[in-house]
Structure formats: C-alpha cells, structure tokens
Amino acid sequence: MRKLKAPNTYVIIAAIILMSAVMTWFVPGGQYVKADDGSLTYEAVDSVPQTWQVLTAVYHGFVKQAGIIIFILVVGGAFWLLNATGAVEAGIKRFISKIGNRDKIVLAALTILFSLGGAVFGMSEETIPFVGIVVPLAVSMGYDAFMGMLVVYVASNVGFSSAFLNPFTVGIAQGMADLPLFSGMGYRLLCWGILTALLVVFVVIYAHKVRKAPSVAEAIEAEPLTKRQTWILVTLALTVVALVTGVTRFEWYMPEITGLFLAMGIICGLIAGFSSDKIVKELMAGAKDILSAALVVGFASGIIVILQDGKIVDSILHSLQEGLDGSGKAGSLSAMYGIQALINFIIPSATAKAAITIPIMAPFSDLVGVSRQAMVLAFQFGDGFTNMITPTSGVLMAALAMARIPYTKWVKWIWKPVAVLLLLGFLLLVPTVLLQIAGF
C-alpha cells in the first residue's frame, strides 16, 4: 500500500488559485464602502468571473509582494553567510562546554538559549545539527533522547511561536498587515518570557522524572573562541541592538532592516577573512536556499489577486463577519487562532501561511474589531506550536532523524505539551482584546 504523501506547497497554492477562480463564478460579489466618518458599509456588486487571469495573477502577485520577497532573499543570504563563518556554532559549543556538568543549569540555559534563537532570528532549520550535538550530551547526563529534542527543537519552536524580532514571521506578517515592523514588542517579550519560563520548569520536572543515573556529563570539547569568532558574535549582538533601536526610535521599515542585515552579513564575512568572491558566493547560496520561501510569497499572493479582481474578497469577509456575529472579539480571535493552527498541518511554511492568510485576516480583523496586532500574534501561535507535531514539517522530520526517534513515538510524547501550549496561546491572546496593551 502506498504511503500518503502531502502535496508540494506550490501544488497546494496552484489548487487554491484555481479554486479561487472557480469561486468567482458562483460567489456573489460585494464590497465595503468607507463613509465620511470612517465607518464601513457593505454593498452587493457584480462579481467578475476569472478565467485565463489565473496565469497573470502570479505575475501581479510577485509585483505586489516584491518588497517582502527581496527582504526574504537578502536576510536569508545574510544569515547563511553568518552561519558559514562558524562563529554561531562555535559560540554555542563554547557556551555548553563552559557550563560543564551542572545538569539542571545546562538544561535550563540551553532551553533559554535556543528559545531566544527562535525568538530573535527564527532559528528553525539551524536546530537540526544541534540536535545531533545535544541529544548525545543529554544521554550522557543520564537522560533520554527526548530531553535533547526538548531543550533544542521544542525550545526553539516555543521561541519561534512567541517571537518578538523574528524577521521571517513577525516581520513578514506585520509587513503584510501594514503594521510597523516589530511593533507590539513589549507584549511579545512578555509572552516569550512566560512561555520560556514555563518550558524551563517543564524541563527541570522532566529531568527529575527520567534521569536514570547520576550525572556523567562530559563537556563538549570546544576550542576557545578565536578573535575573529568573538568579533563576529559581537557584530551579531550589535545588529540586534541596532534593529531594536531603529525600529522603536527611527521607524525603520523593510528597506532599512534589509540593509542592516545585508551589512551584518558582509561585515561578518570580512571579519572571518572571506574574500569578496567567497562573500558573494555565500550570500547567493543563502538566497538560493531560501528562494523557495520567497517564491511562495509571490505565488500565494496570486490567490488574493484573483479574489480581489473577482470582487469576492469583501463578500467572503462579510460572510465570515456574519458567521461570527455575537461571538465577540475573543470568539473571533479564537477562530483566527484555530484556523492558523489547522492550516499548519497542510502548509507548514510560516511564510506561505502568512502570504495566504494575512491579506484576508487583516481586513477581517478590522471588521470584527480585533486589532491587526492581535491577529498577527494569533498567526504566530497557531503556526509555531503545531510545527512540533505536524508530519508535513521537514524540519521536524529531520530533527527526529538526527535524534533517532520514530515519529509515532514522538507524537505520543509531544501531543500533551502541544495541547498545553495551544491552551496557553489562547490565554495569552485574550488580554489583547480585553485590555489596553501598547502596540495592540
């Protein structure tokens, strides 16, 4: 019997574009008209059936999202170049070796470190090699392979879900929602702190439960950081400081942040002693590696082009609004959260989901009185938490392969923590509609 295989993301998007075109033939047209007082009134209009426009929609989608596509390619290339220097990997190894065999401190520190990596620069695929490093370390401490996955993969996903500076989730989603980049950082920092602190507690409890023998941890052999590696890590830290300062004080947006990361990558390459040809080669390799995610944004935007040109986007939003009438802001936000979590099982790419859902969810959140900032946070939680269980996630399957944990055993182990995280995500979303929170 052939195993069922999830379709390629592009196949899914192409199918949605075709279905969207078919919908323009049957769904009544409509539009919202803004009155002089700023209120929106819905009125029926004739729909515009789409046919051959499914081919030109892709082109218009790329034009519409050109800024975000460039942002993804440049930032992806910059981080690839940073990783090529080996400084980040060396820094983490040195960090582990310095802590030594103080078990609980090691586990808590690693959890915070990898959670911070997910929150700041979207550490995801980068966790895979560290799973191969930390799982043996955890086993040598008398724990199991799940502990290694917990402090690396799960921690980075918790940080990814509650990210406050991740350009690949927060940056892209806020850009598509026409929000200032990295706005609402204060509450996101609080969410990250709460979730990471609870994860650390869980790590310590699990450590007490599964430890089989007294600690025999042996620190990972790590050479002292070279001057070059030290200065590269300093450059990375200064980049984060410049990013926070530029966004919060000088209203930086896509162009400035793109330029900042490009400068970081080039400077790190020069510090590493790379030639100009080597720097360009690594930047191109990074852009090539993330090209698929960048292309997804353009292709997925074609869906919205078809729906908008067919005059049915507003009628869909109106139907959603009527369907959720009486559910209140909290109910509407919960629905958005649930939709994002479910879609993640079909489309695990955060970039693809943002491109498909944010252009629809943003105006919908306006209609139901939910802030766009809260909608983006619902997107983050719905995307990140279910990444830890969806079989369509290539990163998860690769990490499990490195840890030598069968997927079925992993699901049996992780489903309860994921359920708790989904509940915590909902509880953290509720204050955004009940309280006055800066940026929300």
Side-chain angles (χ1 to χ4, degrees):
M1 183 176 176
R2 293 182 61 186
K3 293 176 66 176
L4 291 176
K5 185 179 178 181
N8 184 281
T9 300
Y10 294 101
V11 174
I12 295 172
I13 292 173
I16 296 174
I17 289 176
L18 290 174
M19 285 190 292
S20 299
V22 171
M23 287 170 60
T24 62
W25 286 79
F26 301 101
V27 176
Q31 66 182 14
Y32 282 99
V33 179
K34 183 176 287 188
D36 292 336
D37 62 358
S39 61
L40 293 174
T41 304
Y42 178 78
E43 62 179 29
V45 298
D46 291 334
S47 62
V48 181
Q50 304 288 289
T51 52
W52 60 271
Q53 291 91 341
V54 295
L55 301 176
T56 60
V58 173
Y59 170 82
H60 292 299
F62 272 90
V63 172
K64 186 175 182 179
Q65 302 294 356
I68 292 176
I69 292 170
I70 294 169
F71 173 79
I72 293 170
L73 292 174
V74 173
V75 173
F79 275 114
W80 184 279
L81 178 53
L82 173 65
N83 289 329
T85 67
V88 174
E89 182 176 356
I92 292 178
K93 286 183 178 180
R94 185 65 178 165
F95 172 78
I96 295 173
S97 68
K98 278 290 184 182
I99 292 177
N101 62 354
R102 287 163 285 186
D103 298 20
K104 304 302 184 297
I105 297 177
V106 170
L107 297 173
L110 286 176
T111 301
I112 295 170
L113 181 68
F114 282 102
S115 178
L116 192 61
V120 173
F121 59 90
M123 196 173 195
S124 180
E125 291 88 348
E126 296 84 359
T127 61
I128 296 171
F130 288 108
V131 169
I133 295 170
V134 177
V135 166
L137 175 66
V139 172
S140 74
M141 290 177 171
Y143 304 113
D144 57 13
F146 291 100
M147 178 60 82
M149 283 287 288
L150 183 60
V151 299
V152 178
Y153 179 78
V154 174
S156 69
N157 269 275
V158 167
F160 194 91
S161 304
S162 52
F164 46 88
L165 280 177
N166 181 359
F168 302 110
T169 53
V170 182
I172 291 173
Q174 288 184 330
M176 291 183 171
D178 294 324
L179 291 169
L181 254 63
F182 306 117
S183 53
M185 190 183 300
Y187 188 68
R188 284 187 172 81
L189 271 167
L190 177 63
C191 292
W192 175 80
I194 292 171
L195 292 172
T196 302
L198 291 174
L199 181 60
V200 168
V201 171
F202 177 70
V203 166
V204 173
I205 293 172
Y206 186 71
H208 282 294
K209 179 181 177 182
V210 303
R211 188 172 173 186
K212 298 177 182 178
S215 173
V216 291
E218 298 177 4
I220 289 178
E221 293 291 335
E223 296 292 329
L225 293 176
T226 65
K227 287 184 178 181
R228 289 180 185 271
Q229 290 171 337
T230 301
W231 279 110
I232 288 170
L233 294 177
V234 169
T235 301
L236 176 60
L238 290 175
T239 300
V240 173
V241 173
L243 177 62
V244 174
T245 304
V247 168
T248 56
R249 296 193 61 184
F250 301 108
E251 298 182 351
W252 281 8
Y253 198 56
M254 289 283 185
E256 294 83 4
I257 296 172
T258 301
L260 175 66
F261 280 114
L262 178 60
M264 177 204 73
I266 294 173
I267 291 170
C268 288
L270 292 172
I271 294 172
F274 291 172
S275 67
S276 56
D277 284 351
K278 172 72 170 174
I279 290 173
V280 171
K281 181 180 177 182
E282 295 299 339
L283 284 171
M284 294 296 289
K288 180 181 178 181
D289 181 68
I290 206 167
L291 178 63
S292 179
L295 292 177
V296 160
V297 172
F299 276 103
S301 188
I303 298 169
I304 305 303
V305 170
I306 288 291
L307 296 176
Q308 287 178 337
D309 290 352
K311 304 292 185 182
I312 65 171
V313 169
D314 287 354
S315 56
I316 292 172
L317 294 176
H318 184 64
S319 298
L320 287 172
Q321 182 187 13
E322 288 187 325
L324 289 172
D325 260 356
S327 61
K329 295 180 181 180
S332 299
L333 187 58
S334 300
M336 294 185 216
Y337 180 37
I339 289 169
Q340 295 289 1
L342 290 173
I343 288 176
N344 201 41
F345 285 89
I346 304 171
I347 307 174
S349 165
T351 306
K353 274 193 302 298
I356 293 171
T357 62
I358 297 299
I360 293 178
M361 292 292 188
F364 174 66
S365 64
D366 295 339
L367 294 173
V368 296
V370 173
S371 73
R372 292 191 174 198
Q373 199 72 260
M375 178 273 299
V376 170
L377 188 60
F379 158 74
Q380 289 179 242
F381 287 162
D383 167 66
F385 295 146
T386 49
N387 274 339
M388 291 180 267
I389 200 168
T390 173
T392 55
S393 170
V395 177
L396 170 61
M397 303 311 286
L400 290 176
M402 291 291 291
R404 290 175 170 77
I405 298 175
Y407 175 72
T408 51
K409 288 185 66 176
W410 174 253
V411 171
K412 186 177 179 181
W413 186 87
I414 197 66
W415 77 266
K416 289 181 181 178
V418 169
V420 171
L421 285 170
L422 287 168
L423 176 60
L424 288 172
F426 169 74
L427 295 176
L428 290 169
L429 284 170
V430 171
T432 66
V433 295
L434 298 181
L435 304 174
Q436 292 291 329
I437 300 175
F440 283 79

